[in-house]
Amino acid sequence: MAGAMNDAKRAAKRTEQKADEASQDVKPWLRGFARFGYTAKGAVYVLLGILSLMAALGVSGGKTTGTKGALATIASKPYGNIILWITAVGLIGYVMWRIIQVVKDPEHKGKDGSGIGMRIAYLISGIIYGALAYKAISLASSSLGSSGGSSGNSKQSLIAKVLSQPAGQWIIGAVGVVIIGYGLYEMYKGFTEKFKKEFKFGEMNQSEKKLVRRSGKFGLLARGVVMLIIGYFFIQMAMTASSQQATGLDAALSELASQPYGKWLLGIVSIGLALFGIFQILKGKNRHLKIS
């Protein structure tokens, strides 16, 4: 009798836990929106990697560009505006998921120093991809496919304004340190395959698991290298108090290309960035997206 009562209590507790998990889960429409966001982000990186690889190989049409440059390339193609609108919607979904990560802490990063640091990184990521979504909308709304040239100037003017403040050099230097730290974290996560815990591996087939491992490892390592270079640019600006230093993904890729054996380095990193894009697309399909 007592055993039956205990079994009933345990069953009731499991039911209650499942109800709590269901109530805390991301809403189905938002979950789908976030998955689409990862896919859109991945598609941009795949295109970026292809363009950079073409530049490394000397193929016509290739260029060392950043995410905004990749969007401008899409805009210049037939039906580019439609693709840009779709990409913008996806990126907005990605930004919404980042906001959930900051506010709800679904991965339980905690409230210690490292946990707060990760949530700040998520916030910065949300802002960056929010700006990218805005850029996609701006390009899609315009009949001109290559209005991306002013973005670099606006970025430099913003940095110049920050540098003109009393603590401006310290702020820019701190941004550089944060970017380098994030790049090192990306490389660590790729090398150790820590990213695997974000995926629903139990629901994936063997070929998909293998692709996630390989694209995640090499993609995160390549992106980490690029982040280190970008962080170095910011620290250089802080030390010289000059906003003329080029920044961003396009500048980092150009810097790689200018080194000895630069075309080989650029080609390897470009393949890695394309793999990072594939990794993001796979993440959109298979990532855990729960608040509980």
Side-chain angles (χ1 to χ4, degrees), residues 233-285:
F233 289 158
F234 272 86
I235 291 175
Q236 282 289 100
M237 282 190 296
M239 293 175 65
T240 60
S242 171
S243 63
Q244 298 307 307
Q245 172 73 54
T247 60
L249 191 54
D250 51 347
L253 294 173
S254 296
E255 179 69 17
L256 274 176
S258 69
Q259 302 303 311
Y261 305 102
K263 288 190 175 181
W264 285 97
L265 291 173
L266 178 61
I268 292 168
V269 171
S270 297
I271 292 170
L273 290 174
L275 286 171
F276 177 78
I278 293 170
F279 174 67
Q280 292 298 307
I281 292 170
L282 291 168
K283 186 182 283 190
K285 180 176 180 290

Side-chain angles (χ1 to χ4, degrees), residues 16-27 290 292:
E16 185 179 348
Q17 287 174 341
K18 288 180 180 179
D20 288 341
E21 289 178 2
S23 66
Q24 293 179 4
D25 195 4
V26 179
K27 298 294 184 184
K290 285 194 172 184
S292 56

